[in-house]
Amino acid sequence: MTVDQGARTVTPGRAAQELELRRDEFRLAVQLGLVRTVPAGEGERRRVEQREFDRLRAAPDFPDGLRERVRAVGTGEAAALLGITADRFTRLVRTGHVSPVRFSLNRYRAVVWLYLAQEVAEFGLSCPALLAGRLPLEVRERLAAHEDLRARNWRARRLALLLRGAEDPWARAAAIASLLDPVQVAEVVDDPYERTHLDRLRPPPPPGMPMAPVAREIAERLTRADDPDEILWHRVSLAMALDEARAERQAPHPGDVRGPGVRVRAETVQVVQVPAVSVPVVSVRTPPVPGASVPGPSVPLGAPGAVPEAWSAVIDRPPGRPARARFLERFRRGKGVGAGRPRRRRRPVAWP
């Protein structure tokens, strides 16, 4: 469903200016559901309606309150808000007491996690015992086992936001599949057309993904589940989401006719009974081969177990190399030594 043409809408960039937010703060506000957007059309970016501005401006703490709810802080600033050291805060977030809201890579390709300042302050008010003194034994044991839940908690938060914004059941299944490795998805989704449909509906990468190949590889690794129990959980969730999506409609296959809200299979298979037709018996005589004995009487074609002698020599021939290998060998023989095309340097892959 697209937005009503009569309603006034603005682009995300203009909406960020209207709400007095930076671009990254506006994107975070949309992800958290603080700012509602509407689809503007097929394949177009989502826009913000004028009545959404009226709703946000009606708040008594606008714009400072909205800006505070989307303020993201790093480890040092978060530790300063709680009055603890950065090392203690890192131990608390590694054990899952505070979930990161986004991440970035610095120039040394190290992962920098960011947290909502509002959630950090709420954690300090709800768990004051963890801010002073020795950490509990359970937390110390988990730290000794090198447990780090920051990436997993970020993925869980991102999946919750994606599922909340997806109305189509296939889009929800695609959101779950985006957290799994392609091999894991192929093991759960047997139909290749369903996998293609899920890949088409795959949500875009999180904002701020690096463009450099090495840095992008590190960032993409953080977006996929790596723990065995996390992978199992998402596999089960994907299977259940697929059952729900298939119950509503099947994934598009080749030959489907797509209409506005209607999808119909175009091909229809009709079984037609063909009457039996008598085939006359044809006699085949093998031509005489020089230096060979004259073949026997003619053999009717189609007789059970009867094969002409000229054909049996071909059928009984031992299998040779595949046709592709023979073709490549003939192709190579047609070129002289050093006549091949010079190898060119591969062009670097441009990330989307």
Side-chain angles (χ1 to χ4, degrees), residues 342-350:
R343 298 183 61 183
R344 296 183 300 177
R345 183 179 179 183
R346 296 184 61 184
R347 297 180 178 178
V349 179

mmCIF file with all atom_site columns, all heavy atoms in Angstrom, residues 342-350:
data_model
loop_
_atom_site.group_PDB
_atom_site.id
_atom_site.type_symbol
_atom_site.label_atom_id
_atom_site.label_alt_id
_atom_site.label_comp_id
_atom_site.label_asym_id
_atom_site.label_entity_id
_atom_site.label_seq_id
_atom_site.pdbx_PDB_ins_code
_atom_site.Cartn_x
_atom_site.Cartn_y
_atom_site.Cartn_z
_atom_site.occupancy
_atom_site.B_iso_or_equiv
_atom_site.pdbx_formal_charge
_atom_site.auth_seq_id
_atom_site.auth_comp_id
_atom_site.auth_asym_id
_atom_site.auth_atom_id
_atom_site.pdbx_PDB_model_num
ATOM 1  N N   . PRO A 1 342 ? 46.177 -13.071 -23.933 1.00 0.00 ? 342 PRO A N   1
ATOM 2  C CA  . PRO A 1 342 ? 46.972 -12.677 -22.747 1.00 0.00 ? 342 PRO A CA  1
ATOM 3  C C   . PRO A 1 342 ? 46.067 -12.456 -21.552 1.00 0.00 ? 342 PRO A C   1
ATOM 4  O O   . PRO A 1 342 ? 44.972 -11.919 -21.672 1.00 0.00 ? 342 PRO A O   1
ATOM 5  C CB  . PRO A 1 342 ? 47.657 -11.377 -23.195 1.00 0.00 ? 342 PRO A CB  1
ATOM 6  C CG  . PRO A 1 342 ? 46.771 -10.845 -24.283 1.00 0.00 ? 342 PRO A CG  1
ATOM 7  C CD  . PRO A 1 342 ? 46.204 -12.048 -24.993 1.00 0.00 ? 342 PRO A CD  1
ATOM 8  N N   . ARG A 1 343 ? 46.528 -12.913 -20.410 1.00 0.00 ? 343 ARG A N   1
ATOM 9  C CA  . ARG A 1 343 ? 45.759 -12.765 -19.188 1.00 0.00 ? 343 ARG A CA  1
ATOM 10 C C   . ARG A 1 343 ? 45.777 -11.305 -18.765 1.00 0.00 ? 343 ARG A C   1
ATOM 11 O O   . ARG A 1 343 ? 46.828 -10.669 -18.673 1.00 0.00 ? 343 ARG A O   1
ATOM 12 C CB  . ARG A 1 343 ? 46.338 -13.635 -18.083 1.00 0.00 ? 343 ARG A CB  1
ATOM 13 C CG  . ARG A 1 343 ? 46.287 -15.121 -18.408 1.00 0.00 ? 343 ARG A CG  1
ATOM 14 C CD  . ARG A 1 343 ? 46.798 -15.931 -17.242 1.00 0.00 ? 343 ARG A CD  1
ATOM 15 N NE  . ARG A 1 343 ? 45.977 -15.714 -16.080 1.00 0.00 ? 343 ARG A NE  1
ATOM 16 C CZ  . ARG A 1 343 ? 46.236 -16.269 -14.891 1.00 0.00 ? 343 ARG A CZ  1
ATOM 17 N NH1 . ARG A 1 343 ? 47.285 -17.063 -14.739 1.00 0.00 ? 343 ARG A NH1 1
ATOM 18 N NH2 . ARG A 1 343 ? 45.455 -16.021 -13.866 1.00 0.00 ? 343 ARG A NH2 1
ATOM 19 N N   . ARG A 1 344 ? 44.576 -10.801 -18.494 1.00 0.00 ? 344 ARG A N   1
ATOM 20 C CA  . ARG A 1 344 ? 44.456 -9.421  -18.045 1.00 0.00 ? 344 ARG A CA  1
ATOM 21 C C   . ARG A 1 344 ? 44.259 -9.379  -16.543 1.00 0.00 ? 344 ARG A C   1
ATOM 22 O O   . ARG A 1 344 ? 43.738 -10.309 -15.955 1.00 0.00 ? 344 ARG A O   1
ATOM 23 C CB  . ARG A 1 344 ? 43.283 -8.731  -18.733 1.00 0.00 ? 344 ARG A CB  1
ATOM 24 C CG  . ARG A 1 344 ? 43.455 -8.606  -20.238 1.00 0.00 ? 344 ARG A CG  1
ATOM 25 C CD  . ARG A 1 344 ? 42.292 -7.856  -20.853 1.00 0.00 ? 344 ARG A CD  1
ATOM 26 N NE  . ARG A 1 344 ? 41.039 -8.544  -20.593 1.00 0.00 ? 344 ARG A NE  1
ATOM 27 C CZ  . ARG A 1 344 ? 39.855 -8.061  -20.968 1.00 0.00 ? 344 ARG A CZ  1
ATOM 28 N NH1 . ARG A 1 344 ? 39.771 -6.901  -21.591 1.00 0.00 ? 344 ARG A NH1 1
ATOM 29 N NH2 . ARG A 1 344 ? 38.757 -8.733  -20.712 1.00 0.00 ? 344 ARG A NH2 1
ATOM 30 N N   . ARG A 1 345 ? 44.612 -8.286  -15.975 1.00 0.00 ? 345 ARG A N   1
ATOM 31 C CA  . ARG A 1 345 ? 44.454 -8.107  -14.542 1.00 0.00 ? 345 ARG A CA  1
ATOM 32 C C   . ARG A 1 345 ? 42.979 -7.945  -14.204 1.00 0.00 ? 345 ARG A C   1
ATOM 33 O O   . ARG A 1 345 ? 42.251 -7.214  -14.870 1.00 0.00 ? 345 ARG A O   1
ATOM 34 C CB  . ARG A 1 345 ? 45.226 -6.875  -14.095 1.00 0.00 ? 345 ARG A CB  1
ATOM 35 C CG  . ARG A 1 345 ? 45.189 -6.642  -12.594 1.00 0.00 ? 345 ARG A CG  1
ATOM 36 C CD  . ARG A 1 345 ? 45.997 -5.415  -12.242 1.00 0.00 ? 345 ARG A CD  1
ATOM 37 N NE  . ARG A 1 345 ? 45.953 -5.177  -10.801 1.00 0.00 ? 345 ARG A NE  1
ATOM 38 C CZ  . ARG A 1 345 ? 46.534 -4.128  -10.221 1.00 0.00 ? 345 ARG A CZ  1
ATOM 39 N NH1 . ARG A 1 345 ? 47.206 -3.257  -10.966 1.00 0.00 ? 345 ARG A NH1 1
ATOM 40 N NH2 . ARG A 1 345 ? 46.453 -3.960  -8.912  1.00 0.00 ? 345 ARG A NH2 1
ATOM 41 N N   . ARG A 1 346 ? 42.535 -8.684  -13.175 1.00 0.00 ? 346 ARG A N   1
ATOM 42 C CA  . ARG A 1 346 ? 41.138 -8.644  -12.777 1.00 0.00 ? 346 ARG A CA  1
ATOM 43 C C   . ARG A 1 346 ? 40.792 -7.280  -12.213 1.00 0.00 ? 346 ARG A C   1
ATOM 44 O O   . ARG A 1 346 ? 41.549 -6.686  -11.442 1.00 0.00 ? 346 ARG A O   1
ATOM 45 C CB  . ARG A 1 346 ? 40.854 -9.724  -11.730 1.00 0.00 ? 346 ARG A CB  1
ATOM 46 C CG  . ARG A 1 346 ? 41.043 -11.137 -12.261 1.00 0.00 ? 346 ARG A CG  1
ATOM 47 C CD  . ARG A 1 346 ? 40.659 -12.142 -11.218 1.00 0.00 ? 346 ARG A CD  1
ATOM 48 N NE  . ARG A 1 346 ? 39.264 -11.980 -10.858 1.00 0.00 ? 346 ARG A NE  1
ATOM 49 C CZ  . ARG A 1 346 ? 38.656 -12.685 -9.894  1.00 0.00 ? 346 ARG A CZ  1
ATOM 50 N NH1 . ARG A 1 346 ? 39.337 -13.584 -9.214  1.00 0.00 ? 346 ARG A NH1 1
ATOM 51 N NH2 . ARG A 1 346 ? 37.397 -12.491 -9.617  1.00 0.00 ? 346 ARG A NH2 1
ATOM 52 N N   . ARG A 1 347 ? 39.615 -6.804  -12.593 1.00 0.00 ? 347 ARG A N   1
ATOM 53 C CA  . ARG A 1 347 ? 39.167 -5.526  -12.071 1.00 0.00 ? 347 ARG A CA  1
ATOM 54 C C   . ARG A 1 347 ? 38.666 -5.667  -10.638 1.00 0.00 ? 347 ARG A C   1
ATOM 55 O O   . ARG A 1 347 ? 38.078 -6.686  -10.296 1.00 0.00 ? 347 ARG A O   1
ATOM 56 C CB  . ARG A 1 347 ? 38.032 -4.978  -12.929 1.00 0.00 ? 347 ARG A CB  1
ATOM 57 C CG  . ARG A 1 347 ? 38.463 -4.683  -14.363 1.00 0.00 ? 347 ARG A CG  1
ATOM 58 C CD  . ARG A 1 347 ? 37.284 -4.151  -15.155 1.00 0.00 ? 347 ARG A CD  1
ATOM 59 N NE  . ARG A 1 347 ? 37.673 -3.820  -16.521 1.00 0.00 ? 347 ARG A NE  1
ATOM 60 C CZ  . ARG A 1 347 ? 36.811 -3.366  -17.423 1.00 0.00 ? 347 ARG A CZ  1
ATOM 61 N NH1 . ARG A 1 347 ? 35.538 -3.163  -17.104 1.00 0.00 ? 347 ARG A NH1 1
ATOM 62 N NH2 . ARG A 1 347 ? 37.239 -3.105  -18.653 1.00 0.00 ? 347 ARG A NH2 1
ATOM 63 N N   . PRO A 1 348 ? 38.904 -4.699  -9.799  1.00 0.00 ? 348 PRO A N   1
ATOM 64 C CA  . PRO A 1 348 ? 38.405 -4.802  -8.416  1.00 0.00 ? 348 PRO A CA  1
ATOM 65 C C   . PRO A 1 348 ? 36.891 -4.766  -8.380  1.00 0.00 ? 348 PRO A C   1
ATOM 66 O O   . PRO A 1 348 ? 36.233 -4.109  -9.183  1.00 0.00 ? 348 PRO A O   1
ATOM 67 C CB  . PRO A 1 348 ? 39.012 -3.557  -7.739  1.00 0.00 ? 348 PRO A CB  1
ATOM 68 C CG  . PRO A 1 348 ? 39.292 -2.610  -8.870  1.00 0.00 ? 348 PRO A CG  1
ATOM 69 C CD  . PRO A 1 348 ? 39.630 -3.461  -10.068 1.00 0.00 ? 348 PRO A CD  1
ATOM 70 N N   . VAL A 1 349 ? 36.344 -5.518  -7.447  1.00 0.00 ? 349 VAL A N   1
ATOM 71 C CA  . VAL A 1 349 ? 34.888 -5.585  -7.305  1.00 0.00 ? 349 VAL A CA  1
ATOM 72 C C   . VAL A 1 349 ? 34.395 -4.327  -6.620  1.00 0.00 ? 349 VAL A C   1
ATOM 73 O O   . VAL A 1 349 ? 34.915 -3.921  -5.580  1.00 0.00 ? 349 VAL A O   1
ATOM 74 C CB  . VAL A 1 349 ? 34.491 -6.825  -6.486  1.00 0.00 ? 349 VAL A CB  1
ATOM 75 C CG1 . VAL A 1 349 ? 32.980 -6.889  -6.320  1.00 0.00 ? 349 VAL A CG1 1
ATOM 76 C CG2 . VAL A 1 349 ? 35.000 -8.081  -7.173  1.00 0.00 ? 349 VAL A CG2 1
ATOM 77 N N   . ALA A 1 350 ? 33.396 -3.724  -7.214  1.00 0.00 ? 350 ALA A N   1
ATOM 78 C CA  . ALA A 1 350 ? 32.798 -2.510  -6.630  1.00 0.00 ? 350 ALA A CA  1
ATOM 79 C C   . ALA A 1 350 ? 31.634 -2.892  -5.742  1.00 0.00 ? 350 ALA A C   1
ATOM 80 O O   . ALA A 1 350 ? 30.704 -3.552  -6.193  1.00 0.00 ? 350 ALA A O   1
ATOM 81 C CB  . ALA A 1 350 ? 32.347 -1.572  -7.747  1.00 0.00 ? 350 ALA A CB  1
#
